[in-house]
Amino acid sequence: MRNRFADVFYDLGLKDDRLCMVVADISPAGSITKFREEFPDRFINTGVAEQVMIGLAAGMALRGLRPFAYTIATFTLYRPFEFIRDDLCYQNLPVTIVGIGGGVTYSTLGGTHHAMEDIAIASALPNMSVIAPIDPDETEAATRWCATQTRGPVYLRLGKAGEPNLSKGAETEWEFGKPRLLQRGQDVLVLTYGPMSGVAWDVVCGLRDKGQSVSFVSCHTLKPLDTDTILDLIRAHGRTVIIEETTPEGSLGQSVKASLYNSGIDKPVDTFSLKNEFIHSYGSHTELLAVHGLSAPAILEKLGA
């Protein structure tokens, strides 16, 4: 996802000189080196000063530019939170906050680099939109949308690298605010988003191996959440499974269950998310997810499959 974002942002930058990049202490900014070298006047590294990164982006947006604020997810969102709330959201400025490595993607760097609560925090902010693509192709579509949208601030949550393209062959194109049916079934509905969608796909395959007909849906836009479409999908299936890499509080699962209750719909929904606790262990992304109970075998066992 990170590399696809960088390639698309560079291509967009060739055509629109309003696009700028503000980063915080990730020099030489890894995958976005090409943009930095070709457009040095449109690339700013504030160093370990995330508050300055957001303040600069706000000022640039007020001057008519289209800045993207980019760094590791924890530092993009948590450290400059008040600046995001007051400078971006209060003024409703079209700045894209790119959080690399949402969830526990930076598994080997420990809890300080685990963005476990980012979905809840970003979603709680007025005017903020929240997008978490499931793969590089959706990352490209979301980046193109962010570069031209006029709604206001966006939190774009990305993985790091190596995510499979799960949306190839989807029935519909990526559209902001719309859940995307990637594969159609009749029995079980699996909703997911973000870089752990590979685990969700393994669950889909495991259920199919047990004879279940499974629909696989990308809920890439978490705010605004299209609850009408989600409830229609839930009504059309016997069982729903939500798999996500975030804490339970403020999660997609919690929002969907609240919508079901408010709508008086009685349908079974199984939710799987990160634990609401710090995990004091290290390992690969897959290993950290497993510690949180988010491995395909563990999920299938709980589903009785």
Side-chain angles (χ1 to χ4, degrees):
M1 291 188 191
R2 179 182 59 187
N3 294 340
R4 181 70 69 87
F5 166 81
D7 291 342
V8 173
F9 189 80
Y10 172 80
D11 290 340
L12 293 169
L14 291 172
K15 304 166 187 169
D16 187 349
D17 60 9
R18 298 175 304 155
L19 288 175
C20 303
M21 181 73 72
V22 186
V23 306
D25 193 40
I26 51 174
S27 181
S31 59
I32 53 176
T33 299
K34 190 175 180 181
F35 183 89
R36 174 177 61 90
E37 291 180 345
E38 188 149 341
F39 305 109
D41 294 339
R42 293 156 55 191
F43 182 93
I44 300 172
N45 188 344
T46 66
V48 187
E50 289 81 2
Q51 296 92 333
V52 175
M53 174 181 70
I54 297 300
L56 269 175
M60 294 162 76
L62 286 170
R63 299 293 292 177
L65 299 174
R66 300 303 302 261
F68 280 51
Y70 174 106
T71 192
I72 294 172
T74 48
F75 308 118
T76 304
L77 196 61
Y78 300 173
R79 190 168 288 168
F81 179 78
E82 184 184 11
F83 286 70
I84 292 172
R85 178 183 183 275
D86 294 347
D87 290 5
L88 301 186
C89 295
Y90 186 72
Q91 302 188 80
N92 200 27
L93 298 177
V95 172
T96 301
I97 302 167
V98 184
I100 300 296
V104 294
T105 300
Y106 281 99
S107 54
T108 58
L109 298 185
T112 56
H113 287 61
H114 296 168
M116 302 188 302
E117 323 86 345
D118 58 339
I119 297 299
I121 291 171
S123 296
L125 288 165
N127 292 329
M128 180 72 84
S129 299
V130 179
I131 304 173
I134 69 163
D135 65 10
D137 283 356
E138 285 202 348
T139 297
E140 176 171 348
T143 302
R144 293 185 183 280
W145 181 84
C146 288
T148 56
Q149 62 87 22
T150 57
R151 286 176 53 93
V154 180
Y155 176 57
L156 177 60
R157 184 210 222 209
L158 303 180
K160 193 165 60 175
E163 299 86 3
N165 265 320
L166 298 170
S167 61
K168 282 190 179 302
E171 296 183 9
T172 57
E173 297 294 321
W174 187 94
E175 181 180 355
F176 171 77
K178 294 294 183 184
R180 192 176 181 203
L181 183 61
L182 304 180
Q183 296 202 21
R184 188 184 300 275
Q186 287 81 44
D187 302 326
V188 182
L189 170 68
V190 174
L191 302 171
T192 190
Y193 61 87
M196 73 157 301
S197 298
V199 172
W201 174 246
D202 289 341
V203 171
V204 170
C205 294
L207 291 170
R208 287 176 176 169
D209 289 343
K210 295 296 183 181
Q212 298 287 304
S213 175
V214 187
S215 291
F216 188 45
V217 172
S218 166
C219 280
H220 50 74
T221 302
L222 296 156
K223 186 186 177 187
L225 186 64
D226 183 0
T227 53
D228 289 342
T229 297
I230 291 173
L231 293 181
D232 286 344
L233 287 166
I234 291 175
R235 287 190 187 94
H237 294 78
R239 185 180 197 179
T240 297
V241 179
I242 299 175
I243 302 171
E244 54 188 328
E245 189 179 348
T246 193
T247 48
E249 288 73 18
S251 64
L252 173 64
Q254 190 177 59
S255 297
V256 169
K257 286 184 173 178
S259 297
L260 285 170
Y261 177 82
N262 292 333
S263 302
I265 299 172
D266 185 16
K267 283 280 193 175
V269 177
D270 297 288
T271 57
F272 298 90
S273 65
L274 298 174
K275 300 174 183 177
N276 189 0
E277 61 184 75
F278 294 110
I279 300 295
H280 301 283
S281 60
Y282 297 85
S284 68
H285 185 210
T286 300
E287 289 168 338
L288 260 289
L289 289 175
V291 173
H292 280 274
L294 294 177
S295 70
I299 293 171
L300 287 167
E301 182 179 359
K302 288 189 176 180
L303 293 175

